[in-house]
Amino acid sequence: MPSEPAPPRGPFDVAIVGGGVVGCALARRFALAGAAVVLMEKAPDILDGASKGNSAILHTGFDAPPGSLEAACIAEGYREYEEIHARLGLPLIRSGALVVAWSDEQEAALPSLMEQARANGVSDVAPLTRDETLALEPNLAPSLRASFRVPREGLIDPWSAPLAYLTQAMAHGAEVLRGCAVQGGTREGDLWRLDTTRGDVSARLVINAAGLYGDLLDEALIGRRDFTIRPRRGQFVVYDKPAAALAGHILLPVPTALTKGIVVCRTAWGNLLVGPTAEEQEDRATAPLDHATLDALRAKGEEILPALAGHDVTAVYAGLRPATEEKDYRIKVHEGGSYVTVGGIRSTGLSAALGIAAHVLRLAEEAGHGWQAPNEVAWPRMRNISVAAPRDHESAGNGGIVCHCEQVTRREIEAALSGPLPARSLAGLKRRTRVTMGRCQGFHCSGPLARMTAGAFDTPMAGNG
Amino acid sequence: MADLPSKVDVAIVGGGPAGLAAATELRRLRAGRVLVIEREAEAGGVPRHCGHSPYGLREFGRPMLGPGYARALVARAEAAGAQLATGVSVTALSDGPRLTVTSEAGTGEIAARLVLLTTGIRETTRAGRMIGGTKPGGVLTTGGLQGLVYGAGLRPFRRPVILGTELVAFSAILTCRHAGIRPVAMVEPGARITARHPAGLLPRLLGIPLHLGTELAAIEGRERVEAVVLRSGGAERRLAADGVIVTGRFRPEATLSREGGLTYDPATGGPEVDEFGRTSDPAIFAAGNLLRPVETAGWCWAEGRAVARAMARALAGELPPPAARRVARAGALAWVVPQRIAGGGSPALGTLQVRAARAASGRLSLSVDGHETAARALRALPERRMLLPLPAGTGLPEVRLVAAP
Ligand SMILES: Cc1cc2nc3c(=O)[nH]c(=O)nc-3n(C[C@H](O)[C@H](O)[C@H](O)COP(=O)(O)OP(=O)(O)OC[C@H]3O[C@@H](n4cnc5c(N)ncnc54)[C@H](O)[C@@H]3O)c2cc1C
Ligand SMILES: Cc1cc2nc3c(=O)[nH]c(=O)nc-3n(C[C@H](O)[C@H](O)[C@H](O)COP(=O)(O)OP(=O)(O)OC[C@H]3O[C@@H](n4cnc5c(N)ncnc54)[C@H](O)[C@@H]3O)c2cc1C
């Protein structure tokens, strides 16, 4: 169906390409600085790329390369999250982490890892003997050698957080264009004119936060790329809620040069996850699951926590890290200060996003951009869907529970289908509310849910993924 | 929580066939105030969405469609004077026994002299089976499919693949037929159809190709299912399909009992019970499919009624004290119910129910203190009902399936 060309939009002060956690944090930071912001996301909803599936850990950065931009952004991001989370209604479960050694070699590596942590400003790490470790985590396999504790590593909700950042940006006037892919652009005077699938959008400053497509967007807009994205897949298995009682801390292995390794930890929703793998792949769009790999993850989980053996797996998923040929983030100002690439935010972007945003704002200010910050800051509150605070179903007028496994109420679903950034797909609704994400995956609730969402989605509900 | 009592004699969690049968029987036996707590807007359990026969043969003496059967069970329980609280979920079980409940009105607590858990089962999902590939829309369990077809009048796909050949897979076929959906294949990892004759004739009758000895290795597609990858005999091939129905491999809905600290049997996936349906907390009973995967509605109904009788005796202080005599299991057996024997006669679960872990021909034998008390030769197939008499006496019982050489 041919449609009218959309009228040009703008000029905006700042155009952000990409609605992952990094783009959402950037939108917030620049909107709070007083800029007129537009965020463009090619998918029907935000959080459709790398930010779709991660381990949901708020890292302290204890194991980051000291002196790296990544280390600095994680530290700053952590601090800001800690400061603002309560005002936005976001959880922070201060579980702490244990880095556990299972061999002589790994045990020998612990002191230098603690040294590295201190160099990164994480000075509260503490060594634990085998017995001390087992006293803290009695379900760990007794074959462990020793560990150290990182008290401030925590668990957060990886979807509510970016949603909160963007909602706060919108409360400060930011515009969000979903289903809007940036295809190219030119500079005319001091304005960029971006060619998008929803018409022309003009802005003074363009920020590339395109995640797994960052290199391609650089090529399309500035005609060159400083890095190449090499998607690195991470698969996970998620256990049902009773398994969450088996581990209080985030259980980390001794990292290798390639990866942080297989983690066992609770989630903010009260499940237990085991993952991720680290597998290079070409495809940037989909992260396929592999039965044998999932089986191996299960076995690995049971090696670490033997009691996991009797527990049900309720979900499996995979995410893609936007890795590049280098370890550190690829953040760079181009085109006389009118364009910033925020690329290669590989495996710590959830923790670092707020810090990255603050860093990029400073770069923009150094490049001569400046705005008048608003006098009052709005703090929209997210509905809590984590185990860290009371849930909606506990208060009156909730409309009754629709999804029993995750205890999602009618009122929560209705709220997610309306408001400033309504869910427009089942995937979007799941990320906002967790409907159908529990142990039955829609066995019980698909009927009522289909009735409730009739007309709300671009493609009507055809079952769970 | 205006109209919910804070104290009852018996609280029944789950208003499916087992819970409703128990409520009716408890009222008939004058057990006092009986409350059935059901989280859905209507009681009736799984049959509410099974718009096909056969239900009700044992209970009403005639074949009925699921929804009519569910309504009839509800009417009986209400006529007997049981109180039904729908739209109320039980979220926690604590000592007392006490139930934490939540509803449109928020949370509350209910104390009961005895509790009966009849929370039923669910199917193992695509995730639980750890099927590979992408995660598009259009992958459903039979329960999910029935919710969409009978519950919301939708047709989620047109040409799906059906995974599994337990009885419920044939329920999926009937549901597809009802909605004008034409399955392109039925896929079974095992060497033969799991369900009993004559259900196995259905795919052939309807022209649905049946692939035995075949795994569903992966699902393809981004927004919607586009194809599946089938693996058999080391070879893989792609089959175009727009949906997947993942059927069977039932798991008891046991999270509540597990989080409530009741002894859990990893073999059945449900709480451990003795022959009175009593769990490791003597004030908490269990019946229906929560006890094991999976039985027919008629079986669950009869089991609910029988456990209700034991509960009436418990209220009157007439049940023998719980005992820790465990039924040991040996050979190719998947599980045994009841798991413990108290002794003392008049059991609610009148037989030992066992299931084979895999197809095997051989001898099923029951011994007490090493002396065989019952045995029979059989050809055991997974998911088929096998029964033995309850062990008598006070010795330690063992059930064994010895495969023939
Ligand atoms: C397995 C795994 C585990 C992880 N665990 C953790 C963890 O525990 N803690 C942590 O802090 N981090 C973790 N991470 C890292 C974190 O998830 C990423 O760093 C982060 O999601 C990167 O976000 P992003 O916004 O840069 O990219 P994305 O989320 O990919 O966002 C980019 C967006 O841009 C859009 N886009 C692309 N091109 C265009 C275009 N041309 N026009 C419009 N839109 C476009 C995409 O659709 C996408 O939505 C993990 C990552 C993975 C994969
Ligand atoms: C697709 C399908 C087709 C079938 N077809 C047939 C057939 O043709 N003939 C036949 O005889 N049998 C059939 N069966 C089996 C039959 O439906 C079951 O055996 C029967 O429903 C089991 O009864 P139940 O009471 O144990 O559990 P259910 O019927 O599962 O009822 C359990 C109830 O407990 C409620 N509940 C669970 N947790 C809570 C909680 N925490 N708080 C409050 N309420 C809760 C649930 O909402 C549900 O209503 C079929 C099953 C399925 C899945």
Side-chain angles (χ1 to χ4, degrees), chain A residues 17-23 40-43 47-51 53-57 59 180-182 209-213 217 232 234 236 276 319-322 345-352:
Chain A
V17 187
V21 64
V22 173
M40 289 162 284
E41 167 55 53
K42 70 180 165 73
L47 308 178
D48 196 53
S51 307
N54 55 45
S55 320
I57 299 173
H59 293 296
C180 176
V182 176
L212 293 155
Y213 298 83
L217 190 71
R232 191 175 296 160
F236 293 90
L320 291 177
R321 305 171 185 87
I345 313 299
R346 189 182 63 166
S347 53
T348 48
L350 179 64
S351 312

Side-chain angles (χ1 to χ4, degrees), chain B residues 295-372:
Chain B
E295 268 298 349
T296 60
W299 181 282
C300 294
W301 174 85
E303 199 168 70
R305 195 171 60 163
V307 170
R309 289 178 191 149
M311 292 176 77
R313 287 175 63 202
L315 286 171
E318 291 167 6
L319 271 198
R325 263 205 307 156
R326 231 163 246 288
V327 183
R329 171 165 51 94
L333 287 176
W335 50 257
V336 182
V337 168
Q339 294 88 343
R340 281 180 290 116
I341 303 291
S346 308
L349 312 178
T351 53
L352 267 188
Q353 218 190 335
V354 298
R355 284 277 206 287
R358 54 185 171 274
S361 309
R363 215 158 156 274
L364 181 65
S365 98
L366 171 68
S367 58
V368 178
D369 286 338
H371 302 290
E372 190 166 272

Side-chain angles (χ1 to χ4, degrees), chain A residues 8-51:
Chain A
R9 297 173 207 252
F12 294 93
D13 294 327
V14 182
I16 296 163
V17 187
V21 64
V22 173
C24 293
L26 285 163
R28 168 179 180 271
R29 180 41 62 209
F30 280 86
L32 291 181
V37 170
V38 63
L39 179 142
M40 289 162 284
E41 167 55 53
K42 70 180 165 73
D45 202 354
I46 62 167
L47 308 178
D48 196 53
S51 307

